[in-house]
Amino acid sequence: MRIDIVTLFPEIALAPLNESIIKRAQGAGIVEIHSHDLRSWARDKHRKTDDYLCGGGQGMLLKPEPLFAAVKDLRRETTLVILTTPQGRPFKQEDARRLTTCDHLLFLCGHYEGVDHRIIEELVDEEISIGDYVLTNGALASAVICDAVVRLLPGALGDERSPEEESFSNPNLLEAPAYTKPVDFRGLKVPEVLLSGHHGEIEKWKRERALERTRRNRPDLLEPPPATEQE
Ligand code: ADE
């Protein structure tokens, strides 16, 4: 897979991806990640990338010219163009899984105040939000999405662990609490059942604790999906 990120802050996007598992995945040739400064596509002498809103309103928007030029240079036949924006569809684990099948992801990082809508209409395949809060720019959001996708690519996690076992995989439950050594830490004991060697009992305990944790922290995951609208 190849990933290109176009942003006003290329270092912000890249820093989290140049550590640990994602760094290793790049070294192993599983993914190639490039981060580009949007200003390098700005043609005027001040390298201007944003401007005031037409019709009035607070703040600045990303201008169309540099982003259109960047996409023209970077897009290939198989590219999926993603805009990171708080106005996007919420990013879920199932989206991370779906994006692993793409050959080329091109991220356009929104300005927190937004982008000219012609960019969305003409260039963008998907608008994605990583949560209901507003970041100062979309570079961190792009890095978050890349991390979630790249760790699912075959070979990225090594053999230690299968992504199928974790939270948000099927079924839609959070993971059960987990413990390591020592088995007694200041009188706080690891639950007996986990030391019992009874695989059936351990699985049952994990299912019950996972359900309990999901009920407490994410009851929305246990609700039935909303009925689809009738035509
Ligand atoms: N840019 C600013 N806030 C964002 C968010 N929550 N998700 C994606 N991109 C963003």
Side-chain angles (χ1 to χ4, degrees):
M1 174 184 278
R2 179 181 164 112
I3 297 175
D4 287 283
I5 303 172
V6 177
T7 167
L8 290 167
F9 306 101
E11 293 304 318
I12 292 182
L14 223 45
L17 301 172
N18 279 338
E19 302 284 340
S20 173
I21 288 169
I22 312 300
K23 180 182 182 182
R24 239 191 299 136
Q26 292 182 76
I30 293 167
V31 65
E32 207 181 296
I33 304 176
H34 302 270
S35 188
H36 311 268
D37 188 346
L38 176 61
R39 282 184 199 84
S40 62
W41 281 281
R43 284 287 152 258
D44 69 300
K45 70 172 190 273
H46 300 295
R47 305 232 146 202
K48 200 170 154 66
T49 53
D50 56 4
D51 215 328
Y52 296 101
L53 278 86
C54 294
Q58 288 210 336
M60 310 278 274
L61 296 183
L62 288 185
K63 292 162 64 58
E65 307 92 315
L67 275 167
F68 270 70
V71 171
K72 180 162 181 279
D73 283 353
L74 296 171
R75 183 151 62 187
R76 309 156 170 200
E77 232 163 66
T78 57
T79 302
L80 186 80
V81 180
I82 295 170
L83 175 73
T84 48
T85 162
Q87 274 76 45
R89 274 192 310 109
F91 184 66
K92 298 274 166 59
Q93 186 67 14
E94 70 205 49
D95 297 302
R97 276 194 291 271
R98 176 173 56 82
L99 295 180
T100 60
T101 62
C102 295
D103 172 55
H104 181 210
L105 299 177
L106 172 52
F107 286 90
L108 309 181
C109 302
H111 200 286
Y112 70 104
E113 282 159 342
V115 303
D116 182 291
H117 199 63
R118 289 165 290 189
I119 292 162
I120 296 168
E121 285 178 327
E122 296 295 319
L123 302 179
V124 171
D125 297 309
E126 297 192 20
E127 297 169 83
I128 299 183
S129 161
I130 61 160
D132 292 341
Y133 41 79
V134 182
L135 304 166
T136 52
N137 66 83
L140 269 178
S142 294
V144 165
I145 297 168
C146 288
D147 185 289
V149 172
V150 170
R151 67 185 285 285
L152 296 180
L153 293 174
L157 287 183
D159 307 327
E160 319 97 63
R161 197 164 164 174
S162 143
E164 274 105 59
E165 282 172 23
E166 62 199 6
S167 294
F168 309 113
S169 297
N170 220 354
N172 228 358
L173 288 182
L174 301 181
E175 281 178 62
Y179 299 84
T180 182
K181 313 271 168 43
V183 296
D184 185 339
F185 171 65
R186 299 179 181 169
L188 303 166
K189 305 227 171 69
V190 171
E192 280 295 325
V193 61
L194 297 179
L195 310 171
S196 69
H198 273 260
H199 293 298
E201 288 298 309
I202 291 172
E203 283 314 307
K204 181 164 169 275
W205 180 90
K206 282 189 182 174
R207 266 196 313 279
E208 286 168 1
R209 294 291 90 73
L211 193 60
E212 192 178 286
R213 199 180 209 183
T214 310
R215 263 196 214 109
R216 186 174 63 244
N217 292 345
R218 292 294 306 277
D220 55 299
L221 293 178
L222 299 171
E223 283 162 16
T228 47
E229 271 178 41
Q230 299 291 315
E231 301 262 303

